[in-house]
């Protein structure tokens, strides 16, 4: 199994530009999560999907952030317009059923730097 | 008060030492508890779940104290390869929420 795949691995952009992060979960996993990690705030859950449906987006910082999951094998996290404070590592994770203690498997992350 | 609190460390210990980390959580309704490990510039990976009666996996022992609302991780006979950041993770079913601590950094030296 290839694990959770994220792209790009690194992204450097200028303030005001649109950024799109991509994720392919592990095949067969019903849950997909987007996290953001910074030194100051640690790992924060932004949004999660169950069977492609967004369940909880309360962690999404503001309207500049949006996430979609058009099918079971693909999700995107979009930031438009990007700001320097969005600089962080963005992780995607997937799980069979995390509520029954199933492990969440994380992708390698996308390191985003907004100048 | 943060929902999940950890001492950021770093804990610097010699190889072979025993080291313990604690993590406190604020929501008494929290149901499930985990320790994840994160190596530098890598993704978090599950180290072990924490069960009410405590559990052991090789050199690692996890304990849960519901009355005082903390969990602990004990590492015996530390190895250089144990150097990493250890994240405490709490699941609260009523809020359907998984919350990560900011992590405790461990550095094992020769």
């Amino acid at each position: 199994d290839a694990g959770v795949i994220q792209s790009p691995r690194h992204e450097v952009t200028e303030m005001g530009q649109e950024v799109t992060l991509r994720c392919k979960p592990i095949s067969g996993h019903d849950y997909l999560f987007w996290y953001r990690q910074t030194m100051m705030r640690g790992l924060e859950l932004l949004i999660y999907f169950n069977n492609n449906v967004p369940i909880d987006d309360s962690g999404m910082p503001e309207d500049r952030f949006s996430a979609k999951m058009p099918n079971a094998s693909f999700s995107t996290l979009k930031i438009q317009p990007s700001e320097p404070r969005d600089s962080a590592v963005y992780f995607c994770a997937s799980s069979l059923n995390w509520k029954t203690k199933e492990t969440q498997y994380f992708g390698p992350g996308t390191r985003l730097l907004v100048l | 008060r943060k929902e999940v609190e950890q001492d950021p460390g770093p804990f610097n210990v010699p190889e072979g030492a025993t080291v313990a980390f604690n993590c406190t959580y604020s929501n008494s309704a929290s149901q499930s508890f985990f320790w994840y490990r994160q190596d530098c510039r890598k993704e978090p990976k599950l180290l072990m779940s924490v069960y009410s009666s405590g559990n052991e996996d090789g050199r690692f022992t996890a304990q849960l104290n519901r009355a005082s609302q903390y969990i602990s991780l004990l590492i015996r006979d530390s190895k250089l390869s144990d150097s990493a950041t250890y994240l405490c993770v709490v699941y609260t079913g009523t809020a359907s929420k998984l919350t990560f601590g900011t992590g405790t950094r461990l550095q094992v030296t020769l």
Side-chain angles (χ1 to χ4, degrees):
Chain A
D1 197 329
V4 176
I5 299 172
Q6 290 187 248
S7 65
R9 295 291 305 275
H10 299 87
E11 177 82 29
V12 181
T13 190
E14 292 185 343
M15 183 173 65
Q17 296 298 306
E18 178 178 295
V19 175
T20 299
L21 311 181
R22 297 173 176 78
C23 175
K24 177 179 168 54
I26 292 172
S27 178
H29 281 190
D30 295 330
Y31 289 85
L32 183 140
F33 308 83
W34 281 102
Y35 290 91
R36 177 173 68 177
Q37 187 173 39
T38 60
M39 288 291 292
M40 291 299 295
R41 300 172 67 91
L43 201 61
E44 302 172 285
L45 177 66
L46 300 176
I47 184 171
Y48 80 90
F49 295 82
N50 178 212
N51 292 322
N52 314 338
V53 177
I55 303 300
D56 183 353
D57 65 354
S58 59
M60 295 285 263
E62 48 199 271
D63 292 346
R64 297 185 299 106
F65 285 69
S66 62
K68 293 182 180 179
M69 191 164 185
N71 58 61
S73 60
F74 184 65
S75 177
T76 59
L77 178 68
K78 187 174 292 186
I79 308 172
Q80 166 63 19
S82 59
E83 297 182 3
R85 61 190 166 123
D86 301 331
S87 298
V89 181
Y90 291 80
F91 288 104
C92 175
S94 71
S95 173
L96 272 170
N97 188 343
W98 64 298
K99 295 182 181 182
T100 58
K101 298 192 179 184
E102 294 286 344
T103 304
Q104 288 191 19
Y105 294 88
F106 283 75
T110 295
R111 293 183 178 277
L112 173 65
L113 178 61
V114 183
L115 301 173
Chain B
R1 182 185 174 187
K2 287 184 180 178
E3 292 183 63
V4 179
E5 291 202 70
Q6 296 183 252
D7 181 341
F11 283 59
N12 293 300
V13 302
E15 213 176 6
T18 295
V19 61
F21 313 133
N22 280 344
C23 163
T24 58
Y25 59 95
S26 61
N27 191 333
S28 59
S30 296
Q31 298 170 298
S32 304
F33 309 88
F34 311 87
W35 284 102
Y36 273 68
R37 169 191 169 133
Q38 187 172 23
D39 292 302
C40 188
R41 301 182 73 82
K42 297 286 189 181
E43 70 274 20
K45 291 183 180 178
L46 179 67
L47 178 66
M48 59 196 302
S49 300
V50 185
Y51 299 113
S52 298
S53 55
N55 49 299
E56 191 173 301
D57 183 2
R59 298 182 293 107
F60 298 83
T61 300
Q63 297 276 356
L64 167 63
N65 185 319
R66 286 193 183 272
S68 301
Q69 294 183 203
Y70 76 84
I71 67 173
S72 63
L73 178 67
L74 179 80
I75 305 175
R76 291 182 300 278
D77 188 23
S78 300
K79 312 290 185 191
L80 293 174
S81 57
D82 294 333
S83 298
T85 296
Y86 292 84
L87 303 171
C88 170
V89 185
V90 174
Y91 170 58
T92 304
T94 52
S96 195
K97 193 174 172 184
L98 199 64
T99 304
F100 285 74
T102 52
T104 297
R105 192 168 143 232
L106 171 66
Q107 184 67 50
V108 182
T109 57
L110 288 170

